[in-house]
Amino acid sequence: MTDPTSLENLHDIIPMAPQPLWPPAPGWYVVAWVTAAAAVWLCVTATLRWRKNRYRREALAELALITRGNNTAWENLALLPALVKRTALAAYGRKAVASLTSDNWLAFLDRSLPTSDFTEGAGRLLVDIPYQPNESLASRDPAEAKALVRLVETWIKKHNAEAMPPAAR
C-alpha cells in the first residue's frame, strides 16, 4: 500500500492560462467614456475662456506698447484713459460703460476690481490726464506714473465682469 502523504505522490501545479487583455471588462469602457468626456469638456471650457479673455491679452499688449519699458513717460501715459475705456467696453458692453464719466467712471472701475484705488488713489489720474498739457504732465512725480500703470495693469488682469451688480451692467 502506498502512503498518501508521501512526497512521491506530489505533482506540479498546473497554472491557468493568462487572461487576455482584450476585450476589457465593462468597467473599463465606462472609465474610458468618462475620461474622454472630461477631456473634451476641459478642452472646450479652456478654449471658451481663452477666447473670452482675448480683449485682456490685447489690452495688456497695448499697455506694454504704451509704457515701452519706461513707466514714467507721462506723454505716453496720456493714452491710458482711452485704453481703460476700450477695455471696459469690451468687457461690460456699451450700455453699461459708454455714458460713465468722472467720478461715476472711477466708481465703476472700483466696483469691477473691487478696490478704492481709482476713486481715492492713483486711479484718479485717469480723469485728469486727458485734460493736462504735456508740460504739466512731464513735471509730475514718476512714482505716480508707475502706480497708475501698475493699477491699470492689475485692473486689466483681474476685473470681473460676472461679479458686477446688475445695475452697473
Side-chain angles (χ1 to χ4, degrees):
M1 192 170 264
T2 63
D3 183 14
T5 60
S6 171
L7 293 178
E8 293 172 359
N9 293 332
L10 289 178
H11 300 287
D12 285 337
I13 297 174
I14 301 171
M16 294 176 55
Q19 293 296 317
L21 293 177
W22 200 261
W28 287 110
Y29 287 110
V30 172
V31 169
W33 280 105
V34 168
T35 303
V40 168
W41 181 78
L42 285 173
C43 288
V44 167
T45 55
T47 301
L48 291 175
R49 185 180 305 116
W50 185 78
R51 285 183 180 172
K52 186 175 89 172
N53 287 321
R54 176 181 176 190
Y55 75 94
R56 290 181 199 259
R57 291 189 305 276
E58 290 176 357
L60 289 170
E62 188 172 339
L63 180 63
L65 285 175
I66 289 171
T67 57
R68 286 191 208 109
N70 184 7
N71 295 5
T72 60
W74 281 100
E75 298 78 25
N76 294 341
L77 297 185
L79 301 171
L80 283 181
L83 171 64
V84 173
K85 191 74 153 192
R86 283 195 321 272
T87 305
L89 284 168
Y92 302 103
R94 182 166 295 282
K95 185 177 180 182
V97 175
S99 64
L100 297 175
T101 59
S102 191
D103 290 337
N104 291 335
W105 170 236
L106 296 177
F108 176 86
L109 293 173
D110 277 343
R111 283 192 313 270
S112 67
L113 194 46
T115 184
S116 62
D117 290 339
F118 286 101
T119 54
E120 299 172 4
R124 282 216 60 79
L125 293 170
L126 287 176
V127 295
D128 297 335
I129 289 175
Y131 306 105
Q132 299 289 321
N134 284 343
E135 298 80 32
S136 90
L137 285 176
S139 66
R140 296 190 78 120
D141 185 13
E144 286 180 300
K146 288 182 181 180
L148 179 61
V149 168
R150 211 171 18 254
L151 179 61
V152 167
E153 182 178 15
T154 301
W155 182 82
I156 291 172
K157 288 179 180 177
K158 297 184 179 181
H159 71 271
N160 189 355
E162 288 80 24
M164 290 294 289
R169 285 184 160 183

